[in-house]
Amino acid sequence: MSVLLQVDDLRVAFATRHGTVEALRGVSLRLDAGETLGIVGESGSGKSVTALAMMRLLDQAGRITGGSIHFRGQDITRAGRDIMRPLRGAAMSMIFQNPRAALNPIRQVGLQIADVLRAHRPLAAREARDQALELLRAVQIRDPERRLDAYPHELSGGMSQRVMIAMAIACEPSLLIADEPTTGLDVTTQQTVMELLAEITARRGMALALITHDLGLAARYCQRIAVMEQGLLVEEAPPARLFGAPGHAYTRRLVAASPTRHSTVQSLVGAAPLPPPPPRPAGPPLLMVTRLGKSFGPGAPAVDDVSFSLSAGESLGLVGESGSGKSTISRLICRLLDQDAGGIKLDGEEIGLVPAARFHRHAKRRDIQLVFQDAGESLNPRFTAAESIADPLRNLLGLRDRAELRRRAAEFAARCGLEAALLDRFPHQLSGGQRARVGIARAIAAGPRLLVLDEPTAALDVSVQAVVLHLLDQLRRETGLAFLFVSHDLNVVRMMCERTMVLQGGRVVEEGHSAQVFAAPQAPYTAALLAAIPHFEPVA
Amino acid sequence: MNATLRHAAWVLRGNPVTLAAGLGVLALALVALLGPSLVAYDPIASNVPQALQPPSAAHWFGTDQLGRDVFSRVVVATRLDLAIAASAVTLSFAVGAVGGAFCGYAGGRLDRWVGRFVDVLMAFPLFVLAMALVAALGNRVENIIYATAIINLPFYVRFARAEVNVRRNQGWVEAARCAGNSHASVVLRFLLPNVLPAMAVQVSLNLGWAILNAAGLSFLGLGVRPPTPEWGILVAEGARFITTGKWWLVVCPGGALMFAVLCFNLLGDGLRDILDPRLRT
């Protein structure tokens, strides 16, 4: 096969206010015609910068400081706009992470596809429209004639990504760069989008550079995988070898930290396996939820007749895709939202009758705390870490003494593995993992008995996720906290929870012991969810 | 604090216009503070033999029809003009930001009523409303302040309301409620501090506008009365002589007025960059 793209010792530096930052420090890779290459790594590893450099789309602050990029034998390292413009979209094109943000919100998608076509070929509006329709058929959008005139906000995330793919393949490029094309999509949608992408590239002989943080995804769809860490390409191998016998220490850590169907919370961080927590004495349940219902406006209810119970120290997983009602349930139980129907009993006391607007004064407020999905967004930008952790102590325990508040905040921070030196930093000065620790420290500060975790690791890199999951598991073992663990990641729920409840469209479709649900799912929906998770199987 | 100063220095280095505007505002503040002790002549005492002298080494801005030194009068007027503007803006900012933030957080009926009331207020020609208020309340300095505060109020209410509205469903507001904060505490300790940087821009722009407004009222004979030195009055008095070529009587106080308004307006933008902690890395 002929070499399509050749990158040699590529170096990219960004000018920032603190001087120059080297984003790529000598990356070399090769992509043959029709081949699929995976580029994996965590945030900050330089995978997106590599993609943008290949398209020559780096923003003003970024500069190629060394190395070369050859595309179809032509040196494009320093090619000007006149050379790059005919290439972009026609010979090489890109699919972005967030399709909604990448589409123009005030232009019909059919016209946007036609724009790409007409930028490279002399086409009449009518012809361009016909070809756009053809492309929408190719990406298997249902009802393509109608979608042609749809605006991006009328499409779901998966459909928007299909439109992006249609735009990317419109001019039959020989190279397609997909930067996290399915991040943010549900697993089942991810599966259909990826299958579509794989099929289209195979049929049209396009080369695909798939940039992803998901090792399973890369393993399933790529012939070769390159692992990046801090601007360097540390290892490149076919998936079987990479996951079977990872050569580089970083790859080994990354592989270990990625949840698979056999991993445990301990194995993710390389700790010794622990026995499951001892069975607790049977008693009255801590939380009793009966026939909970909630709807937002007309249409299908968000939560429909959901009942479950949770004993002290137990961990229950709530899984489902977007729109399944899992976040709504967590907000209802935390008393941030009022339910339309049903009851919530904590310790035998009916708290579902207390309006959410008045629950902050209730004695049970401190017993239920919430850990948020995006720790960064859940911290007041104007509070330091210490102030955030001390806030519940101040309000719920009535502590006012500054020194005492500070001491307690430091204690909980230490418990969550947050260094004391970081306590005076503001959220934007902390890394994702550190923010997650602040969020957890704040949630446990008031001494709750039930912790509701709403996708606590969804925004984190796998290695950070591994550490945070390990921390949460340890906390539960030590304090006897009960967890209501909401997640879309089935592997994470399997590791963290004794029982699992599967939600679809606001209803419970399956409930049982995690081991059972995952080994032998009863509901077809659960089986479909499980099948859609991309896996990698170590060969060795 | 050190980090804040470093950040401010960094913003100003890339933005010399803001730096210049900041220095201008600083100079104005100093002049306002030290005003009477900076000048060589009594701003009120008349000296008729020296009437209507053009600018010279002795009288930098010339003299007026009663022989008073225009430079002294312009400098001494700074304190009164800035004081009126600053008090009015502080008042409308305090009431408007807190009220608007509560409305934006609460939503519902209260929000709708306050919103409509503000709309009605804004439907009046604001300067005419201010004139009517001063005329009704009486021709005194504090009434100029109240009138200016009232006509500025709608902007703050709307601004705070809109800014709080986009933040009220963010994670950290929910987290604040989980941590047992009362609604008042959520608004005052969480939402308002996050809205302030954006509002500081508004305050700075508004100060310029309030100075113009106070001067405009005095120009029309409402509020401050002669012989008190005040920029609007100085311009009004000078306007009578402009046809006879005594330009300095209008140009000098008018220039001071323009300089003050310009400084506050230019400062606005740079201020936002300095105050927002998220822009610091």
Side-chain angles (χ1 to χ4, degrees):
Chain A
M1 276 212 224
S2 64
V3 176
L4 182 68
L5 183 84
Q6 174 95 38
V7 175
D8 286 304
D9 194 34
L10 186 67
R11 290 166 185 277
V12 171
F14 281 85
T16 71
R17 59 188 284 192
H18 300 299
T20 330
V21 174
E22 285 216 286
L24 296 185
R25 302 183 291 155
V27 169
S28 303
L29 51 85
R30 198 193 77 242
L31 195 57
D32 292 335
E35 190 192 23
T36 300
L37 170 74
I39 302 177
V40 300
E42 298 187 295
S43 46
S45 62
K47 31 186 216 308
S48 287
V49 175
T50 308
L52 291 172
M54 293 194 292
M55 291 283 288
R56 295 289 318 283
L57 282 174
L58 288 171
D59 66 43
Q60 294 250 305
R63 218 161 45 81
I64 296 178
T65 52
S68 65
I69 308 168
H70 285 82
F71 180 67
R72 295 197 296 211
Q74 184 185 11
D75 187 350
I76 57 164
T77 322
R78 281 171 179 62
R81 205 178 301 174
D82 48 326
I83 298 178
M84 289 313 295
R85 265 199 68 182
L87 288 181
R88 285 187 200 130
M92 45 164 66
S93 60
M94 192 156 172
I95 299 169
F96 296 92
Q97 172 166 353
N98 185 346
R100 284 248 173 74
L103 290 170
N104 181 347
I106 55 161
R107 199 162 161 79
Q108 291 106 309
V109 295
L111 289 177
Q112 296 192 46
I113 300 174
D115 288 342
V116 178
L117 289 164
R118 297 179 74 184
H120 296 283
R121 295 175 194 164
L123 282 181
R126 187 73 237 168
E127 291 173 284
R129 191 180 159 86
D130 289 343
Q131 289 196 22
L133 182 63
E134 213 42 57
L135 284 161
L136 286 184
R137 286 212 181 93
V139 295
Q140 296 161 23
I141 277 193
R142 249 175 291 148
D143 209 355
E145 287 84 0
R146 251 187 49 214
R147 300 288 177 231
L148 213 49
D149 296 319
Y151 288 94
H153 71 266
E154 296 171 300
L155 304 177
S156 69
M159 278 205 277
S160 304
Q161 197 54 290
R162 283 167 200 253
V163 171
M164 278 301 294
I165 294 174
M167 287 168 73
I169 63 169
C171 294
E172 303 266 338
S174 47
L175 170 64
L176 201 57
I177 300 171
D179 189 358
E180 305 266 8
T182 57
T183 307
L185 301 180
D186 284 328
V187 273
T188 50
T189 318
Q190 160 170 295
Q191 190 183 26
T192 50
V193 167
M194 280 311 300
E195 294 292 340
L196 175 74
L197 207 51
E199 191 234 50
I200 285 177
T201 49
R203 192 150 39 106
R204 307 192 176 202
M206 294 175 188
L208 174 67
L210 176 67
I211 293 165
T212 178
H213 66 281
D214 187 337
L215 297 186
L217 198 69
R220 188 132 142 190
Y221 295 101
C222 301
Q223 283 135 31
R224 276 186 303 132
I225 297 177
V227 182
M228 290 194 66
E229 184 202 11
Q230 293 180 356
L232 289 174
L233 207 151
V234 295
E235 189 170 1
E236 196 202 298
R241 202 169 80 224
L242 194 76
F243 298 126
H248 193 274
Y250 176 72
T251 318
R252 274 200 293 278
R253 266 211 316 281
L254 204 59
V255 169
S258 299
T260 64
R261 64 182 99 185
H262 305 296
S263 47
T264 63
V265 174
Q266 285 73 33
S267 80
L268 293 184
V269 290
L274 288 174
R280 285 160 305 276
L286 175 70
L287 179 75
M288 273 279 282
V289 173
T290 38
R291 317 209 59 174
L292 204 58
K294 173 79 186 171
S295 35
F296 300 100
V303 177
D304 189 10
D305 200 16
V306 170
S307 304
F308 60 91
S309 71
L310 186 65
S311 5
E314 197 188 13
S315 165
L316 171 68
L318 229 54
V319 295
E321 299 189 297
S322 48
S324 63
K326 54 192 197 309
S327 278
T328 307
I329 292 177
S330 70
R331 298 271 177 308
L332 289 172
I333 289 168
C334 286
R335 304 307 302 143
L336 291 170
L337 265 183
D338 285 315
Q339 76 275 33
D340 298 336
I344 303 166
K345 268 190 188 158
L346 188 75
D347 253 346
E349 190 181 332
E350 179 63 50
I351 57 168
L353 293 175
V354 185
R358 263 186 274 147
F359 195 68
H360 62 86
R361 273 184 256 139
H362 197 276
K364 295 268 184 239
R365 174 69 277 172
R366 56 177 290 200
D367 289 333
I368 310 173
Q369 290 293 317
L370 179 60
V371 176
F372 289 81
Q373 170 165 6
D374 183 346
E377 206 244 351
S378 83
L379 298 174
N380 184 348
R382 299 225 145 218
F383 274 11
T384 62
E387 285 170 330
S388 278
I389 301 170
D391 190 44
L393 294 167
R394 219 176 141 265
N395 297 311
L396 297 171
L397 271 54
L399 289 177
R400 280 292 181 275
D401 181 43
R402 276 167 176 270
E404 173 69 6
L405 278 172
R406 169 86 194 184
R407 197 184 59 72
R408 294 260 210 126
E411 189 184 308
F412 284 108
R415 189 125 179 228
C416 294
L418 190 74
E419 294 152 51
L422 301 175
L423 279 173
D424 291 316
R425 293 210 186 167
F426 289 97
H428 68 273
Q429 297 166 318
L430 298 170
S431 73
Q434 290 162 347
R435 287 179 208 161
R437 289 175 200 272
V438 176
I440 295 167
R442 174 179 61 187
I444 60 168
R449 304 177 57 204
L450 170 64
L451 209 54
V452 180
L453 301 118
D454 185 12
E455 307 249 16
T457 59
L460 301 176
D461 278 327
V462 277
S463 62
V464 183
Q465 162 173 287
V467 180
V468 170
L469 290 179
H470 189 243
L471 165 70
L472 287 170
D473 190 61
Q474 251 180 337
L475 275 176
R476 193 165 76 86
R477 284 169 190 272
E478 286 164 11
T479 57
L481 264 169
F483 278 5
L484 184 65
F485 198 103
V486 176
S487 180
H488 69 281
D489 189 328
L490 292 102
N491 278 321
V492 169
V493 168
R494 181 187 54 72
M495 289 186 289
M496 293 296 293
C497 305
E498 291 144 339
R499 276 194 304 137
T500 299
M501 217 162 79
V502 184
L503 290 163
Q504 185 189 19
R507 290 179 150 271
V508 180
V509 293
E510 181 160 3
E511 193 200 340
H513 285 280
S514 296
Q516 234 165 2
V517 170
F518 286 86
Q522 299 301 306
Y525 178 68
T526 316
L529 273 184
L530 283 169
I533 311 175
H535 282 293
F536 58 85
E537 295 301 329
V539 180
Chain B
M1 201 56 220
N2 210 352
T4 314
L5 287 179
R6 260 207 310 279
H7 175 75
W10 181 79
V11 170
L12 292 176
R13 210 175 307 140
N15 202 342
V17 175
T18 309
L19 182 62
L23 290 177
V25 167
L26 207 67
L28 282 169
L30 278 177
V31 168
L33 217 62
L34 307 173
S37 53
L38 288 178
V39 295
Y41 301 93
D42 185 332
I44 294 173
S46 51
N47 181 12
V48 182
Q50 291 286 326
L52 295 172
Q53 300 278 318
S56 63
H59 300 284
W60 293 353
F61 289 180
T63 59
D64 67 2
Q65 72 281 11
L66 296 175
R68 295 174 295 196
D69 179 45
V70 176
F71 178 74
S72 306
R73 287 173 64 75
V74 166
V75 166
V76 171
T78 312
R79 182 184 289 180
L80 181 61
D81 275 283
L82 288 195
I84 292 177
S87 337
V89 169
T90 309
L91 201 61
S92 49
F93 172 71
V95 175
V98 174
F102 271 101
C103 286
Y105 177 71
R109 202 183 310 163
L110 171 76
D111 188 32
R112 275 201 301 281
W113 279 104
V114 172
R116 288 305 85 78
F117 174 72
V118 164
D119 288 344
V120 169
L121 212 54
M122 286 181 96
F124 283 103
L126 289 179
F127 192 73
V128 176
L129 179 64
M131 282 168 59
L133 284 169
V134 176
L137 293 171
N139 227 349
R140 286 204 311 273
V141 172
E142 57 267 37
N143 289 338
I144 302 186
I145 293 174
Y146 294 139
T148 311
I150 287 172
I151 63 170
N152 274 325
L153 196 61
F155 299 102
Y156 288 102
V157 173
R158 279 198 165 186
F159 199 91
R161 191 192 151 271
E163 291 285 315
V164 164
N165 220 332
V166 298
R167 289 178 174 81
R168 58 186 272 205
N169 290 323
Q170 284 191 340
W172 49 268
V173 175
E174 284 191 321
R177 287 176 59 200
C178 273
N181 286 284
S182 65
H183 296 298
S185 162
V186 170
V187 173
L188 297 177
R189 285 182 60 229
F190 284 75
L191 286 165
L192 260 185
N194 277 286
V195 172
L196 287 183
M199 295 200 80
V201 183
Q202 185 78 9
V203 166
S204 189
L205 298 176
N206 232 266
L207 270 168
W209 200 63
I211 293 171
L212 264 187
N213 196 71
L217 286 173
S218 309
F219 181 87
L220 294 175
L222 288 161
V224 186
R225 267 171 294 191
T228 319
E230 196 278 342
W231 291 337
I233 294 175
L234 292 180
V235 175
E237 286 181 347
R240 286 190 282 144
F241 297 92
I242 194 140
T243 46
T244 52
K246 311 286 189 291
W247 54 268
W248 57 91
L249 291 179
V250 175
V251 170
C252 294
L257 192 56
M258 200 183 91
F259 175 72
V261 176
L262 195 64
C263 282
F264 282 113
N265 282 357
L266 291 178
L267 186 65
D269 253 351
L271 214 54
R272 185 195 42 220
D273 296 346
I274 293 173
L275 290 176
D276 195 336
R278 276 163 305 177
L279 295 176
R280 276 179 230 166
T281 9

